[in-house]
């Protein structure tokens, strides 16, 4: 029979014992690490160590002889000069954009004329080759059905006699997530009157900016015919941080006053509040006007105070605002019809990795405010 001692003696060599101890030590170490990782103080200390390492690649710079460090400073000064030349490059890009904007404008004007029924395009202008792929996949029968449906719709349309392209811009807004998120139900009847969005660039020699103009037909909601939103750009390296310069950034924006018709201000709502009189204990109801969600809040963005300090909410609102302003300028206005039909929408994912824009959208999204 085997007793315990002989079992130990026979089944475990010293090497086995070492292995067991190593495994045990590993388990223990693991547990310890887990505990450490759950301890916020240890985590914070670790993070601090890691942060300290960023930007000081292994203390190599510190280890350099003084004379070499001195020369590295000279290189950094050259780099600052490069940033200033780069700023000039972007100024010329801006000039080019202004020049080409003038070439696009007659086409955008014609687009607007067709949308708002100021111009009826000729048959020739309306000819459009059908999508070949689509035609191949649609069977003959379905094609016939489609034809019948189109014919029917045509009749319906003729009855209603729509003018231009009804709800063109409202449809664009609804098709673009970034914009539809801002859109409230009570904004829609107003945006049906939106007839055009134009981009105006600042003049040469002026501080760089662009203005989005929202042109409305006469309506029951406000008396303005144009609502504007201007985005100021910083097109020069920041003196205190010249190496962060990577092209113009949106630095701030201003909206405009909307002259609402009485009772139509959708950015306001009235709420009833019960108020208790402290002494007498009586309760009365008071009405208060408070801000209401609306796309039209886009025209009264939070102001950036002199100090540049913003509360978190305003900062989030502005970051989203800059993104929207940039998107309208870069994407919506140049290719509105494709957002109306939905053709531009799938493409957007591809565009993210495609450095097609010199305006470096990412920088515009997260400006240093
Ligand atoms: C305020 O917003 C709500 C919901 O978004 C909407 O139903 C309401 O009509 C708005 N109020 C006004 C006065 O427009
Ligand atoms: C409309 O509401 C905004 C607040 O959202 C307010 O600042 C503005 O003065 C109001 N305009 C009119 C004409 O009532």
């Amino acid at each position: 029979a085997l007793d315990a001692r002989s079992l130990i003696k026979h089944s475990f060599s010293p090497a086995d014992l070492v292995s067991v101890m190593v495994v045990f030590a590993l388990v223990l170490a693991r547990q310890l690490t887990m505990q450490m990782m759950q301890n916020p103080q240890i985590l914070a200390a670790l993070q601090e160590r890691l942060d300290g390492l960023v930007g000081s690649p292994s203390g190599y710079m510190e280890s350099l002889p003084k004379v070499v460090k001195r020369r590295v400073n000279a290189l950094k000064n050259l780099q600052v000069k490069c940033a200033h030349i780069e700023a000039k490059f972007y100024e010329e890009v801006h000039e080019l954009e202004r020049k080409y904007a003038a070439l696009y404008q007659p086409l955008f004007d014609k687009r607007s004329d067709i949308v708002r029924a100021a111009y009826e395009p000729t048959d020739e202008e309306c000819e459009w080759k059908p999508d070949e792929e689509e035609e191949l996949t649609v069977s003959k029968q379905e094609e016939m059905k489609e034809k019948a449906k189109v014919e029917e719709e045509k009749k319906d349309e003729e009855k209603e006699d729509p003018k231009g392209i009804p709800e063109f811009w409202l449809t664009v807004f609804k098709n673009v997530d970034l914009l539809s998120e801002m859109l409230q139900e009570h904004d829609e009847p107003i945006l049906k009157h939106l007839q055009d969005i134009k981009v105006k660039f600042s003049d040469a020699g002026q501080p760089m900016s662009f203005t989005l103009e929202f042109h409305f037909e006469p309506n029951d909601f406000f008396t303005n015919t144009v609502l504007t939103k201007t985005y100021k750009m910083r097109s020069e390296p920041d003196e205190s941080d010249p190496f962060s310069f990577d092209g113009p950034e949106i630095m701030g924006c201003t909206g405009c006053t909307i002259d609402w018709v009485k009772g139509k201000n959708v950015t306001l709502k009235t709420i009833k509040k019960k108020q208790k009189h402290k002494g007498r204990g009586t309760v009365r109801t008071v009405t208060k006007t408070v801000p209401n969600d609306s796309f039209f809040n886009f025209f009264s963005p939070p102001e950036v105070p002199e100090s540049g300090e913003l509360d978190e909410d305003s900062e989030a609102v502005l970051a989203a605002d800059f993104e929207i302003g940039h998107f309208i300028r870069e994407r919506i206005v140049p290719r509105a019809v494709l957002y109306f039909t939905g053709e531009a929408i799938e493409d957007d994912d591809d565009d993210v990795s495609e450095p097609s824009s010199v305006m470096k959208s990412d920088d515009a999204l997260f400006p240093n405010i």
Side-chain angles (χ1 to χ4, degrees), residues 290-345:
V290 294
N292 207 13
D293 285 343
S294 165
F295 162 72
F296 291 91
N297 288 319
F298 185 65
F299 298 99
S300 43
E303 273 175 47
V304 182
E306 284 290 311
S307 64
E309 299 280 322
L310 270 176
D311 60 85
E312 237 171 75
D313 277 353
S314 303
E315 208 164 304
V317 170
L318 274 188
D321 186 307
F322 294 176
E323 185 178 3
I324 289 161
H326 182 78
F327 195 79
I328 293 176
R329 168 201 156 155
E330 282 283 299
R331 298 260 158 222
I332 307 276
V333 171
R335 328 195 284 168
V337 66
L338 301 181
Y339 286 97
F340 176 78
T341 62
E343 282 160 273
I345 290 155

Side-chain angles (χ1 to χ4, degrees), residues 90-105 108 198-213 229-233 248 250 325-326 328-331 333-334 357-359:
Y90 283 113
E91 258 165 51
E92 283 203 37
V93 169
H94 187 72
E95 275 310 298
L96 262 184
E97 280 184 310
R98 270 163 27 87
K99 180 181 153 194
Y100 276 83
L103 302 180
Y104 292 125
Q105 199 51 55
F108 293 159
K198 290 182 177 166
V199 182
K200 294 277 161 78
F201 294 97
S202 53
D203 288 333
Q206 297 294 309
M208 201 186 283
S209 72
F210 67 92
T211 298
L212 303 177
E213 292 181 353
K229 183 82 176 271
T230 299
Y231 288 90
K232 283 176 295 225
M233 317 281 286
I250 295 175
H326 182 78
I328 293 176
R329 168 201 156 155
E330 282 283 299
R331 298 260 158 222
V333 171
S357 149
V358 259
M359 295 312 282

